[in-house]
Amino acid sequence: MPRPKRSEARKHVLFVDDDEILIEMNIGRLEGMGYKVTATTDSLQALALFRAHPGNFDLVITDHVMPRMTGIKLAGRLKELRPDVPIILLTGIDNETAVDEALRAGISACAPKVLSEKELAHLVEDVLREPVKGARV
């Protein structure tokens, strides 16, 4: 299992997805890579967690299509609270309009919703190293 570099150890990831199975799978993967993970299936709860402690999170990974608030809208709200937070949008939609909207919301990278463990590790490491918006995996 890939391990984060020493400087990335114990970084805190907020993981948001309405699919419990994907939450459980990715908690295990990210914790196995050395990250601390807070996860929720509710985008409004994710916003409340972030609002309560915006400085506690080093990265947000969110699903695109969710009930109550989409991942893009969530990203916009998080960026209002902390413009520098890197955000990865996981999506099953391959649509240039959605990607453009995501990038305008300040999302650092867009990637397929289901990634291999190796792809997830590389994506997280890349975004934490250079949280420049506009990447598409």
Side-chain angles (χ1 to χ4, degrees):
M1 203 173 303
R3 292 266 185 223
K5 295 175 186 148
R6 183 178 295 277
S7 64
E8 294 173 346
R10 300 310 296 167
K11 294 240 182 209
H12 194 172
V13 177
L14 176 59
F15 194 93
V16 188
D17 196 306
D18 60 323
D19 185 330
E20 275 286 343
I21 293 170
L22 289 176
I23 288 268
E24 293 304 318
M25 178 179 72
N26 286 300
I27 286 173
R29 288 175 167 184
L30 291 163
E31 287 179 345
M33 290 179 237
Y35 298 102
K36 178 179 176 183
V37 181
T38 298
T40 180
T41 58
D42 185 317
S43 52
L44 293 180
Q45 182 182 25
L47 179 59
L49 288 166
F50 192 88
R51 183 178 285 133
H53 303 285
N56 284 1
F57 298 101
D58 299 294
L59 173 67
V60 177
I61 302 173
T62 182
D63 184 16
H64 181 187
V65 178
M66 294 183 291
R68 299 170 50 137
M69 184 186 310
T70 68
I72 293 173
K73 288 190 187 297
L74 175 61
R77 300 285 296 277
L78 299 177
K79 289 289 190 172
E80 289 172 3
L81 297 167
R82 198 175 126 211
D84 67 323
V85 67
I87 300 172
I88 297 171
L89 181 76
L90 301 179
T91 183
I93 300 171
D94 189 17
N95 175 323
E96 288 301 318
T97 303
V99 171
D100 289 344
E101 182 183 355
L103 299 179
R104 282 193 306 276
I107 289 172
S108 303
C110 296
K113 185 167 179 168
V114 179
L115 296 168
S116 71
E117 187 171 349
K118 186 176 180 178
E119 290 168 329
L120 179 64
H122 287 297
L123 180 59
V124 168
E125 289 169 11
D126 289 348
V127 169
L128 285 172
R129 185 175 45 255
E130 295 183 48
V132 177
K133 71 177 188 175
R136 182 175 181 174
V137 178

Coordinates of all heavy atoms in Angstrom, one line a residue, residues 1-2 15 22 25-26 28-30 33 61 88 90 111-125 137:
M1 N 0.8 -1.2 0.0 CA 0.0 0.0 0.0 C 0.9 1.2 0.0 O 1.8 1.3 0.8 CB -0.9 0.0 1.3 CG -2.1 0.8 1.1 SD -3.2 0.6 2.6 CE -3.5 -1.2 2.6
P2 N 0.6 2.2 -0.9 CA 1.5 3.4 -0.9 C 1.3 4.2 0.4 O 0.3 4.3 1.0 CB 0.9 4.2 -2.1 CG 0.1 3.3 -2.9 CD -0.3 2.2 -2.0
F15 N -13.9 13.3 3.7 CA -14.4 12.5 2.5 C -15.9 12.5 2.6 O -16.5 12.2 3.6 CB -13.9 11.1 2.6 CG -14.0 10.3 1.4 CD1 -13.0 10.3 0.4 CD2 -15.2 9.7 1.1 CE1 -13.2 9.6 -0.8 CE2 -15.4 9.0 -0.1 CZ -14.4 8.9 -1.0
L22 N -18.6 3.1 -0.7 CA -17.5 3.9 -1.1 C -16.8 4.6 0.0 O -15.6 4.8 0.1 CB -17.9 4.9 -2.2 CG -18.2 4.2 -3.6 CD1 -18.6 5.2 -4.6 CD2 -17.0 3.4 -4.1
M25 N -14.8 1.9 2.0 CA -13.7 1.5 1.2 C -12.6 2.6 1.2 O -11.4 2.3 1.4 CB -14.1 1.2 -0.3 CG -12.9 0.8 -1.2 SD -13.5 0.5 -2.9 CE -13.9 2.1 -3.5
N26 N -13.0 3.8 1.0 CA -12.0 4.9 0.9 C -11.4 5.3 2.3 O -10.3 5.7 2.4 CB -12.5 6.1 0.1 CG -12.5 5.7 -1.4 OD1 -11.5 5.4 -1.9 ND2 -13.7 5.7 -2.0
G28 N -10.7 3.2 4.6 CA -9.7 2.2 4.8 C -8.5 2.4 4.0 O -7.3 2.3 4.5
R29 N -8.7 2.8 2.7 CA -7.6 3.1 1.8 C -6.8 4.3 2.4 O -5.5 4.3 2.5 CB -8.0 3.4 0.4 CG -8.5 2.2 -0.3 CD -9.1 2.6 -1.6 NE -9.3 1.5 -2.5 CZ -9.8 1.6 -3.7 NH1 -10.0 2.8 -4.3 NH2 -9.9 0.5 -4.5
L30 N -7.5 5.4 2.7 CA -6.8 6.6 3.1 C -6.1 6.4 4.4 O -4.9 6.9 4.6 CB -7.8 7.8 3.1 CG -8.2 8.3 1.7 CD1 -9.5 9.1 1.9 CD2 -7.2 9.0 1.0
M33 N -3.0 4.6 4.1 CA -1.9 5.5 3.5 C -1.3 6.4 4.5 O -0.4 7.2 4.2 CB -2.4 6.2 2.3 CG -2.7 5.4 1.1 SD -3.3 6.4 -0.2 CE -4.9 5.6 -0.6
I61 N -12.3 15.5 -0.3 CA -12.7 14.7 -1.4 C -14.2 14.5 -1.4 O -14.7 14.1 -0.4 CB -12.0 13.3 -1.4 CG1 -10.5 13.5 -1.3 CG2 -12.4 12.5 -2.6 CD1 -9.7 12.2 -1.1
I88 N -10.9 17.6 -4.2 CA -11.0 16.7 -5.3 C -12.4 16.3 -5.5 O -13.1 16.0 -4.6 CB -10.2 15.4 -5.0 CG1 -8.7 15.8 -4.9 CG2 -10.4 14.4 -6.1 CD1 -7.8 14.6 -4.4
L90 N -14.9 13.7 -7.2 CA -15.1 12.4 -7.8 C -16.4 12.4 -8.5 O -17.4 12.7 -8.0 CB -15.0 11.3 -6.8 CG -13.7 11.3 -5.9 CD1 -13.8 10.1 -4.9 CD2 -12.5 11.1 -6.8
A111 N -11.8 13.6 -11.0 CA -11.4 12.3 -11.3 C -12.6 11.4 -11.3 O -13.7 11.7 -10.8 CB -10.4 11.8 -10.2
P112 N -12.5 10.2 -11.9 CA -13.6 9.2 -11.9 C -14.0 8.8 -10.5 O -13.1 8.8 -9.6 CB -13.0 8.0 -12.6 CG -11.8 8.5 -13.4 CD -11.3 9.7 -12.6
K113 N -15.2 8.5 -10.3 CA -15.7 8.3 -8.9 C -15.0 7.0 -8.3 O -14.8 7.0 -7.1 CB -17.2 8.0 -9.0 CG -17.8 7.9 -7.6 CD -19.3 8.0 -7.6 CE -19.8 7.7 -6.2 NZ -21.2 8.1 -6.0
V114 N -14.8 6.0 -9.1 CA -14.1 4.8 -8.6 C -12.7 4.8 -9.1 O -12.4 4.8 -10.3 CB -14.9 3.6 -9.0 CG1 -14.1 2.3 -8.4 CG2 -16.3 3.6 -8.5
L115 N -11.7 4.9 -8.2 CA -10.3 4.9 -8.5 C -9.7 3.7 -7.8 O -10.1 3.2 -6.8 CB -9.6 6.1 -7.9 CG -10.0 7.5 -8.5 CD1 -9.5 8.6 -7.6 CD2 -9.5 7.6 -9.9
S116 N -8.6 3.2 -8.5 CA -7.8 2.1 -7.8 C -7.1 2.7 -6.6 O -7.0 4.0 -6.5 CB -6.8 1.5 -8.8 OG -5.8 2.4 -9.0
E117 N -6.7 1.9 -5.7 CA -5.9 2.4 -4.5 C -4.7 3.2 -5.0 O -4.4 4.3 -4.4 CB -5.5 1.2 -3.6 CG -4.9 1.7 -2.3 CD -4.7 0.5 -1.4 OE1 -5.3 -0.6 -1.6 OE2 -4.1 0.8 -0.4
K118 N -4.0 2.7 -6.0 CA -2.8 3.4 -6.5 C -3.2 4.7 -7.1 O -2.5 5.7 -6.8 CB -2.1 2.5 -7.5 CG -0.8 3.0 -8.0 CD -0.1 2.0 -8.9 CE 1.2 2.6 -9.4 NZ 1.9 1.6 -10.3
E119 N -4.2 4.8 -7.9 CA -4.7 6.0 -8.5 C -5.1 7.1 -7.4 O -4.7 8.2 -7.5 CB -5.9 5.8 -9.4 CG -5.5 5.1 -10.7 CD -6.7 4.6 -11.5 OE1 -7.8 4.3 -10.9 OE2 -6.6 4.5 -12.7
L120 N -5.8 6.6 -6.4 CA -6.2 7.5 -5.3 C -5.0 8.0 -4.6 O -4.9 9.2 -4.3 CB -7.1 6.7 -4.3 CG -7.6 7.5 -3.1 CD1 -8.5 8.7 -3.5 CD2 -8.3 6.6 -2.1
A121 N -4.0 7.2 -4.3 CA -2.8 7.6 -3.6 C -2.1 8.7 -4.4 O -1.7 9.7 -3.8 CB -1.9 6.4 -3.3
H122 N -1.9 8.4 -5.7 CA -1.2 9.4 -6.5 C -2.0 10.7 -6.6 O -1.4 11.8 -6.5 CB -0.9 8.9 -7.9 CG 0.2 7.8 -7.9 ND1 1.5 8.1 -7.5 CD2 0.1 6.5 -8.2 CE1 2.2 7.0 -7.7 NE2 1.4 6.0 -8.1
L123 N -3.3 10.6 -6.8 CA -4.1 11.9 -6.9 C -4.0 12.7 -5.6 O -3.8 13.9 -5.6 CB -5.5 11.5 -7.2 CG -6.5 12.6 -7.3 CD1 -6.1 13.6 -8.4 CD2 -7.9 12.1 -7.6
V124 N -4.2 12.0 -4.4 CA -4.1 12.7 -3.2 C -2.8 13.4 -3.0 O -2.6 14.6 -2.6 CB -4.5 11.8 -2.0 CG1 -4.2 12.4 -0.6 CG2 -6.0 11.4 -2.1
E125 N -1.7 12.6 -3.2 CA -0.3 13.1 -3.1 C -0.1 14.3 -4.0 O 0.5 15.4 -3.5 CB 0.7 12.1 -3.3 CG 0.7 11.0 -2.3 CD 1.6 9.8 -2.7 OE1 2.3 9.8 -3.7 OE2 1.5 8.8 -2.0
V137 N -8.2 14.1 -14.1 CA -7.5 12.8 -14.1 C -8.3 11.9 -15.0 O -9.5 11.9 -15.0 CB -7.4 12.2 -12.7 CG1 -6.8 10.8 -12.7 CG2 -6.6 13.1 -11.8

